[in-house]
């Protein structure tokens, strides 16, 4: 099964439980919005905006507040998630926005060179090929001075879980997240000029490993890597780690412009 197909299936099945379980994703959206507000203060307001991988709309609500006069196209791979996202907005706001199913793993031909700004919050870690997905994003922007804002979780976010699985000689079945240093070359290689970036973090506490893993199920963020954990091994882990587990999540926020031709 292709990753995009698995991602669509998982997130669609979690559309109604996502918001209640997405604690660190909500914090990341708030921090990302603050980052954008600072960096947009001296810039012209973008007329047309595209959001990629909107999910249930935790960041979309910030986007609508940040740019109330802009035309916003909200997109996601999952129709079920888009329905949850749309429901967050009053009818009069929905009329000013458009909602479209889109997959940044493929050429976004319907969006080509249409937008002044593109935003993606906590979504592009799911790309089948991160480099190719960034190229697809670049093609949606109009040209010089249009910008791309990216928020993405970093590898440190899964260290605690990896260590728990390794303690029982089990392979970690979750998604491999990128290191900060690996992201910038991909951005620059796809025609983006990096203007600024910063990192953010938050800490969540779970009442044992079972609750920790359940949060992945309720947000649709598990079962993508294809790795299978032997039931006996998982049972050992769950029996061993019943005490509270604290996990630190780390994110990176980027603003890039389309590189000016010399």
């Amino acid at each position: 099964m292709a990753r995009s197909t698995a991602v669509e299936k998982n997130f669609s099945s979690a559309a109604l439980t996502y918001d209640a379980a997405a604690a660190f994703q909500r914090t990341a959206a708030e921090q990302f919005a603050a980052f954008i507000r600072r960096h947009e203060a001296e810039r012209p307001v973008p007329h047309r905006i595209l959001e990629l991988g909107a999910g249930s709309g935790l960041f979309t609500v910030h986007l609508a507040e940040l740019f109330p006069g802009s035309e916003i196209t909200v997109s996601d791979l999952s129709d079920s998630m888009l329905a949850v996202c749309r429901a967050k907005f009053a009818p009069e706001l929905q009329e000013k926005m458009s909602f479209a199913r889109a997959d940044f793993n493929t050429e976004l031909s319907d969006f080509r060179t249409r937008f002044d700004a593109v935003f993606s919050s906590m979504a592009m870690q799911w790309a089948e090929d991160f480099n190719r997905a960034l190229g697809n994003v670049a093609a949606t922007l109009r040209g010089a001075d249009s910008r791309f804002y990216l928020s993405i979780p970093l590898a440190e976010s899964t260290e605690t879980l990896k260590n728990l699985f390794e303690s029982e000689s089990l392979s970690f079945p979750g998604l491999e997240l990128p290191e900060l240093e690996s992201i910038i070359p991909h951005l620059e290689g796809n025609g983006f000029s990096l203007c600024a970036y910063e990192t953010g973090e938050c800490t969540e506490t779970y009442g044992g490993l079972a609750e920790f893993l359940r949060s992945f199920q309720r947000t649709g963020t598990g079962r993508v890597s294809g790795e299978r954990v032997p039931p006996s091994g998982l049972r050992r882990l769950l029996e061993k780690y019943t005490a509270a587990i604290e996990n630190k999540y780390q994110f990176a926020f980027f603003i890039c412009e389309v590189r000016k031709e010399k």
Side-chain angles (χ1 to χ4, degrees):
M1 182 185 296
R3 175 179 287 184
S4 60
T5 302
V7 168
E8 179 183 9
K9 180 180 178 181
N10 288 353
F11 280 101
S12 293
S13 66
L16 298 181
T17 58
Y18 185 90
D19 280 5
F24 80 85
Q25 292 94 333
R26 180 173 285 101
T27 299
E30 293 169 355
Q31 293 183 12
F32 190 32
F35 173 81
I36 293 164
R37 187 174 290 107
R38 290 194 298 275
H39 288 280
E40 284 293 304
E42 303 299 325
R43 294 174 179 271
V45 176
H47 178 56
R48 289 183 176 175
I49 287 173
L50 171 65
E51 183 183 8
L52 292 168
S56 71
L58 293 182
F59 173 69
T60 313
V61 295
H62 294 287
L63 195 58
E65 292 172 356
L66 286 165
F67 305 102
S70 301
E71 297 178 12
I72 301 176
T73 298
V74 182
S75 71
D76 194 81
L77 184 64
S78 165
D79 287 325
S80 299
M81 279 290 197
L82 278 176
V84 173
C85 178
R86 182 195 293 267
K88 286 182 165 66
F89 299 93
E92 59 270 20
L93 287 177
Q94 291 184 24
E95 292 177 359
K96 298 179 181 179
M97 306 168 72
S98 59
F99 296 83
R101 186 187 182 282
D103 180 2
F104 50 62
N105 292 294
T106 64
E107 289 187 18
L108 300 165
S109 54
D110 290 345
F111 299 151
R112 192 170 183 85
T113 64
R114 283 181 52 192
F115 297 96
D116 305 303
V118 174
F119 298 82
S120 184
S121 176
M122 302 290 283
M124 294 200 72
Q125 68 273 16
W126 300 105
E128 294 177 353
D129 182 322
F130 184 59
N131 197 60
R132 185 174 68 233
L134 287 175
N136 293 335
V137 173
T140 69
L141 290 163
R142 290 188 174 188
D145 298 322
S146 56
R147 57 261 196 204
F148 172 46
Y149 281 92
L150 172 67
S151 167
I152 195 165
L154 298 176
E156 291 85 350
S157 300
T158 55
E159 280 187 358
T160 297
L161 268 180
K162 281 185 174 182
N163 289 339
L164 294 182
F165 275 81
E166 289 173 0
S167 72
E168 292 296 321
S169 300
L170 297 171
S171 297
F172 175 61
L175 186 68
E176 287 293 329
L177 296 175
E179 301 283 350
L180 175 62
E181 297 78 11
S182 71
I183 299 170
I184 296 173
H186 286 293
L187 291 167
E188 293 177 341
N190 280 283
F192 292 112
S193 178
L194 181 64
C195 300
Y197 72 91
E198 64 183 54
T199 58
E201 64 180 45
C202 71
T203 301
E204 297 292 335
T205 301
Y206 303 91
L209 181 59
E211 182 180 319
F212 198 173
L213 295 178
R214 195 176 302 117
S215 72
F216 286 84
Q217 181 180 4
R218 296 182 69 200
T219 56
T221 54
R223 305 190 308 276
V224 173
S225 69
E227 293 285 343
R228 295 281 184 177
V229 180
S232 59
L234 181 59
R235 187 164 52 250
R236 289 198 312 272
L237 274 176
L238 294 174
E239 291 172 351
K240 184 175 181 179
Y241 295 104
T242 58
I245 297 173
E246 188 175 87
N247 191 66
K248 180 181 287 186
Y249 294 95
Q250 294 193 324
F251 336 109
F253 311 125
F254 302 85
I255 171 177
C256 308
E257 291 181 348
V258 174
R259 187 177 299 124
K260 299 179 178 65
E261 296 295 336
K262 294 183 179 179

